[in-house]
Amino acid sequence: MDITIYSSFLPQTDPDAALAFWRDTMGFELRLDVGYEGMRWLTVGPPDQPQTSIVLHPPAIDPGITDDERRTITEMIAKGTYGSILLATPDLDTTFDKLQAADVEIVQEPTDQPYGVRDCAVRDPSGNMVRIQERK
């Protein structure tokens, strides 16, 4: 079996703010910008990894969910408890310094975790948790 992770999904509540964060701050490239019925999906990814993408989608648009579920999802996104992603970098401190200089919401400064990784955490403009590990 040969399976790779091609795309992962995160909700975005403001496509322009999401694009500014993921492209301009994180250094990802914009691969697709798709509009449909007043909504907008953005596909971004690391420039040197064309086989891996994040699709930033409008939240809670599934027609099968109720208004209460939609409201709960929207509240969870605002709290940063709905979407998350784990990224990796070879130099966590330099990456963190760049994020801090870009005035990104910091959740956790670089920390050596008791389970053997060094990581930090920030939120994107929609509230998604973005954890970044140092790759060794």
Side-chain angles (χ1 to χ4, degrees):
M1 191 177 318
D2 182 12
I3 298 174
T4 61
I5 296 175
Y6 182 71
S7 292
S8 185
F9 289 76
L10 286 175
Q12 53 81 10
T13 56
D14 178 337
D16 292 325
L19 183 58
F21 176 81
W22 288 100
R23 183 190 59 199
D24 304 337
T25 302
M26 297 297 286
F28 285 17
E29 65 182 11
L30 176 64
R31 297 186 180 147
L32 287 173
D33 187 340
V34 177
Y36 178 73
E37 294 187 356
M39 295 178 283
R40 196 166 157 206
W41 284 256
L42 304 166
T43 302
V44 297
D48 60 341
Q49 298 174 41
Q51 72 282 11
T52 303
S53 300
I54 300 170
V55 179
L56 304 166
H57 62 89
I61 58 168
D62 187 327
I65 63 174
T66 67
D67 288 342
D68 284 343
E69 292 168 331
R70 185 170 288 111
R71 187 174 29 262
T72 298
I73 290 169
T74 302
E75 289 170 358
M76 291 177 70
I77 291 169
K79 288 181 169 180
T81 58
Y82 185 75
S84 65
I85 192 163
L86 177 60
L87 306 175
T89 180
D91 184 350
L92 184 64
D93 292 315
T94 297
T95 299
F96 180 79
D97 290 345
K98 289 179 182 175
L99 294 172
Q100 194 169 36
D103 204 24
V104 168
E105 181 182 349
I106 304 298
V107 177
Q108 175 203 301
E109 294 189 6
T111 303
D112 292 318
Q113 301 291 351
Y115 43 87
V117 301
R118 179 170 171 75
D119 67 357
C120 70
V122 300
R123 289 193 204 287
D124 77 359
S126 298
N128 297 304
M129 181 72 72
V130 180
R131 296 198 73 83
I132 305 171
Q133 277 185 357
E134 186 163 87
R135 186 176 53 226
K136 295 182 179 183

